[in-house]
Amino acid sequence: MTEFNENPFAKDTPVIPFSNGTEAECWHERNCDKCIKYENKSDCELAYFLDMGFILGTIPLWVAKEIGVAYNPLYQTVELNERCREFRTGDEPF
């Protein structure tokens, strides 16, 4: 982070979800690439922000919370859950 953030719990606080591109690509492959919501990219708003995170290096805190996260407000880093909460394969009962 380049500047001090007085409120690290604000909705749009930029957080760092991955330490490098390989980690980001692996997470994306396990989740987004296998999710039916990602087939039509306009159906998954979270995927849009994750894709932007590849470029910017950060995502908004609210996106990380929607995915599922362990958040470190001191360093403004997150550890995303192994499986996104919005992950769908189409085999779910409802």
Side-chain angles (χ1 to χ4, degrees):
M1 304 270 90
T2 57
E3 62 186 58
F4 181 73
N5 183 355
E6 290 188 26
N7 185 358
F9 297 102
K11 177 182 175 184
D12 289 327
T13 297
V15 294
I16 303 168
F18 306 108
S19 60
N20 58 50
T22 303
E23 183 182 349
E25 187 60 40
C26 289
W27 192 92
H28 197 276
E29 188 176 302
R30 282 192 316 268
N31 288 278
C32 299
D33 291 345
K34 295 180 180 178
C35 182
I36 62 172
K37 292 178 84 177
Y38 191 67
E39 289 176 6
N40 182 4
K41 295 180 184 180
S42 63
D43 287 346
C44 188
E45 184 180 21
L46 301 177
Y48 167 78
F49 284 100
L50 279 172
D51 290 345
M52 290 299 295
F54 277 98
I55 298 166
L56 302 173
T58 62
I59 60 174
L61 179 58
W62 72 267
V63 172
K65 286 182 175 181
E66 288 287 320
I67 291 170
V69 67
Y71 176 48
N72 182 335
L74 180 61
Y75 296 105
Q76 294 178 344
T77 58
V78 294
E79 185 176 327
L80 297 178
N81 291 349
E82 283 293 314
R83 184 64 69 193
C84 177
R85 289 182 188 167
E86 296 295 317
F87 182 81
R88 303 289 181 266
T89 60
D91 296 334
E92 289 81 13
F94 293 102

